Amino acid sequence: MTDAEVITCVFKDENELYLAYMPFVKDGGLFIRTKTPHALGRHVNLSVQLLDEAENFLIEGHVIWITPKGAQGNKPTGMGIQFT
């Protein structure tokens, strides 16, 4: 893992995970809801807790998508992370 910031994500049910998954992103990705998205291209480490799993998964990625506050269509604020 790199020295990038660690972002913790918790997905409590399958629907929440399904809505966050970005299948159109090469190598996969997740949309992370946050009011303070990072800059495009920034490297991050995701600590992802899935459903009832006891341990978190650590995933490296970088920001490829930003949805700003007040985006058209009332979309949630956040960022898309592509897995690396």
Side-chain angles (χ1 to χ4, degrees):
M1 291 248 141
T2 64
D3 290 335
E5 178 178 352
V6 175
I7 298 170
T8 302
C9 312
V10 178
F11 296 102
K12 297 177 183 175
D13 59 49
E14 285 183 47
N15 188 53
E16 192 176 331
L17 177 60
Y18 178 78
L19 291 172
Y21 183 62
M22 300 172 74
F24 53 88
V25 174
K26 183 179 179 197
D27 299 324
L30 289 174
F31 181 79
I32 308 301
R33 290 181 179 219
T34 178
K35 294 181 181 184
T36 54
H38 296 295
L40 286 173
R42 177 156 181 190
H43 286 58
V44 294
N45 293 320
L46 298 178
S47 175
V48 181
Q49 183 181 5
L50 299 175
L51 313 172
D52 296 334
E53 294 289 329
E55 294 184 32
N56 289 8
F57 296 89
L58 296 176
I59 304 168
E60 287 187 58
H62 62 274
V63 179
I64 59 160
W65 182 289
I66 296 174
T67 303
K69 182 178 178 181
Q72 184 176 0
N74 210 19
K75 298 203 186 293
T77 304
M79 59 187 166
I81 307 295
Q82 180 181 28
F83 304 148
T84 55

